[in-house]
């Protein structure tokens, strides 16, 4: 995994949330391992099916959204940490420190921590 993968991955999510592009959602979800787990900024633990269901109804719900990934740091060959900024119409609305774990080229686990 590298910075390009992460940027493209978040661009796909933003395209789904911004425009409701189904192929963007499919590409985004296709990068996740079947055993994927997300720990959200609020502490909820979501498996891949729960993530999929939560995103299904969100297509087009955030016009103007872009997601920037920066400061990607490889901790091990399969663990990465980076900063994720959510921007709507030029204003930063959310910042997260994210730790991602890969397996076989797919996202296995993601932990998001809100940054104030």
């Amino acid at each position: 995994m590298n910075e390009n993968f992460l940027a493209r991955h978040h661009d796909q999510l933003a395209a789904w949330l911004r425009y409701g592009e189904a192929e963007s959602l499919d590409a985004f979800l296709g990068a996740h391992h079947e055993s994927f787990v997300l720990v959200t900024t609020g502490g909820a633990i979501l498996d891949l099916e729960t993530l999929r269901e939560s995103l299904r109804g969100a297509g087009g719900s955030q016009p103007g959204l872009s997601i920037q990934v920066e400061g990607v740091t490889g901790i091990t060959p399969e663990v990465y940490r980076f900063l994720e900024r959510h921007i709507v119409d030029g204003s930063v609305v959310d910042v997260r420190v994210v730790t991602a774990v890969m397996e076989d080229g797919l996202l296995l686990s993601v932990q998001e921590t809100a940054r104030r």
Side-chain angles (χ1 to χ4, degrees):
M1 179 169 80
N2 60 35
E3 194 163 347
N4 291 335
F5 169 87
L6 289 168
R8 186 173 56 254
H9 184 66
H10 287 83
D11 286 346
Q12 292 162 341
L13 175 59
W16 169 246
L17 295 172
R18 187 173 52 240
Y19 304 119
E21 297 175 350
E23 53 281 344
S24 295
L25 177 62
D26 292 342
F28 175 80
L29 292 171
H32 295 81
H33 191 279
E34 64 184 26
S35 299
F36 176 78
V37 174
L38 166 67
V39 180
T40 69
T41 58
I45 300 173
L46 309 178
D47 62 15
L48 182 57
E49 186 56 34
T50 304
L51 176 64
R52 180 180 289 118
E53 289 305 314
S54 70
L55 287 174
R56 271 212 174 103
S61 65
Q62 297 186 35
L65 174 70
S66 65
I67 302 173
Q68 291 181 345
V69 171
E70 53 192 65
V72 176
T73 302
I75 297 172
T76 73
E78 296 179 329
V79 179
Y80 298 84
R81 184 176 48 243
F82 56 93
L83 193 65
E84 178 180 318
R85 293 183 195 277
H86 293 216
I87 300 167
V88 176
D89 298 328
S91 296
V92 176
V93 296
D94 191 19
V95 180
R96 304 164 185 197
V97 177
V98 179
T99 301
V101 179
M102 302 290 293
E103 183 176 292
D104 299 326
L106 298 171
L107 286 162
L108 178 63
S109 179
V110 171
Q111 168 97 34
E112 301 177 329
T113 303
R115 188 168 190 193
R116 308 271 179 236

